[in-house]
Amino acid sequence: MTLPTLLVLDADPPPRLGRLTGRVRVEHADASTLAGRLPSADVLLVWDFTSHAVREAWPGEGPRPRWVHTASAGVDHLLCPELAASDTVVTNARGVFDQPIAEYVAALVLAFAKDLPRTLELQRERTWRHRESRRLAGTRACVVGSGPIGRAIARTLDALGVTTALVGRAARDGVHGPEDLDRLLARADWVVAAAPLTDGTRGMFDARRFAVMQPSAYFVNVGRGQLVVEEALVRALRERVIAGAALDVFASEPLPGDSPLWEVPGLVVSPHMSGDTVGWRDELGAQFVELFELWEAGRPLVNVVDKQRGYVPGH
């Protein structure tokens, strides 16, 4: 029996695929070798989800894998017109990052409400300065992105007493449509971006949207860096159009050392880590193995991405 070929776009540390031993032939590639190895692969595991190598290699000659899985929630790093138009199935890591990201957002919101960044600064300065902090319960949040991550954020903030409105691609039960976004932004104390990157969401948080927000509002982005016009956010913070912000994702990653974002007043910068808790890589590997076993048995896959929309539908 000929074993199927699994091609792994590598990252360190590699995935643990022990349960697949003897059931699949595993090959490895990096950005320089991926194009040459794609034609012989039945399945592609995009373990290095920071790489754009798939988008660059896919349009080449020869057969292409029947199934591509990325160990990430976002798929914009791999989708290209040729992959989107093909009959290749694309799946993502939906479900692994939901609660960790929700907890991270809650931590940021609490930190802003209780002025923890300033407390730490004053401690380093050995300065005793009493201040008043904000009560979190009774405040309002607007979460943009109604998928599993956005819904987990809403549930977690609700548990803290925050009245939370979800905004999605279209209005439905419990979810506001884009037509309500500006109205919700204007009354929100906390604005959280958790949407996928699509043509409709790229650059949605621009100077106009920041101007709609309250001067006391805080903005958090755990979606994709390109949702935000970073220059507009810099101006909004420097001119105190909004009170503060936290970014975990950026248009360019790693964030360059000369980026003005490092020193903008009121901005918390974190290195794309909101969903990465202890053991997260093992969860990603186990999820792929479960999906592979479905594929191997000829059963329908879950977490199938609508390649035209750029995310898993149904939310």
Side-chain angles (χ1 to χ4, degrees):
M1 181 180 71
T2 302
L3 295 177
T5 297
L6 166 62
L7 181 62
V8 180
L9 180 59
D10 277 332
D12 188 40
R16 296 183 180 181
L17 305 174
R19 273 169 51 189
L20 301 183
T21 300
R23 298 159 61 183
V24 63
R25 183 172 65 252
V26 179
E27 297 184 355
H28 299 270
D30 58 20
S32 65
T33 60
L34 181 64
R37 295 184 178 177
L38 277 177
S40 63
D42 298 294
V43 179
L44 172 63
L45 169 57
V46 184
W47 191 247
D48 184 0
F49 51 81
T50 65
S51 172
H52 292 85
V54 176
R55 195 164 59 191
E56 296 163 1
W58 195 272
E61 297 294 326
R64 290 295 180 261
R66 292 172 284 161
W67 168 35
V68 174
H69 177 77
T70 179
S72 61
V75 296
D76 51 280
H77 60 291
L78 59 88
L79 283 181
C80 60
E82 292 81 3
L83 175 53
S86 73
D87 58 3
T88 295
V89 176
V90 175
T91 57
N92 73 352
R94 182 186 188 191
V96 172
F97 302 106
D98 306 354
Q99 192 56 35
I101 291 178
E103 293 171 2
Y104 200 88
V105 169
L108 288 168
V109 169
L110 282 165
F112 284 136
K114 302 307 176 184
D115 200 24
L116 292 185
R118 183 61 178 147
T119 294
L120 295 174
E121 289 177 7
L122 291 171
Q123 180 181 349
R124 284 191 292 270
E125 297 169 5
R126 298 175 179 263
T127 300
W128 181 278
R129 183 174 301 161
H130 181 270
R131 287 120 47 229
E132 294 177 345
S133 64
R134 299 177 69 177
R135 184 192 296 266
L136 191 59
T139 60
R140 297 176 182 271
C142 175
V143 178
V144 182
S146 59
I149 292 173
R151 294 199 301 270
I153 293 169
R155 287 193 303 271
T156 303
L157 293 180
D158 283 342
L160 293 170
V162 180
T163 300
T164 306
L166 271 174
V167 179
R169 187 179 60 88
R172 57 192 182 280
D173 187 29
V175 178
H176 295 268
E179 64 277 6
D180 292 337
L181 179 56
D182 285 355
R183 175 177 63 83
L184 293 169
L185 291 180
R187 59 194 300 198
D189 300 289
W190 320 102
V191 177
V192 182
L197 180 62
T198 67
D199 290 341
T201 63
R202 187 182 303 273
M204 68 184 302
F205 289 99
D206 55 11
R208 187 189 72 79
R209 284 263 161 73
F210 291 123
V212 168
M213 298 179 197
Q214 301 182 76
S216 59
Y218 288 81
F219 174 74
V220 177
N221 186 15
V222 290
R224 308 299 287 173
Q226 294 87 346
L227 300 178
V228 178
V229 178
E230 292 177 347
E231 297 82 359
L233 176 60
V234 169
R235 288 195 301 273
L237 290 169
R238 286 179 172 165
E239 297 172 10
R240 299 187 178 182
V241 175
I242 60 175
L247 299 180
D248 187 55
V249 287
F250 303 86
S252 178
E253 295 183 8
L255 186 65
D258 60 355
S259 170
L261 293 171
W262 288 108
E263 297 181 346
V264 177
L267 178 62
V268 174
V269 170
S270 59
H272 203 148
M273 59 179 283
S274 61
D276 303 346
T277 52
V278 175
W280 66 287
R281 290 184 178 87
D282 290 341
E283 287 187 56
L284 290 172
Q287 181 187 57
F288 174 74
V289 169
E290 291 175 2
L291 285 170
F292 184 90
E293 290 174 341
L294 291 175
W295 180 83
E296 184 182 43
R299 297 170 60 190
L301 291 169
V302 296
N303 290 6
V304 175
V305 173
D306 182 321
K307 293 182 290 182
Q308 303 306 314
R309 296 181 182 180
Y311 54 87
V312 178
H315 51 70

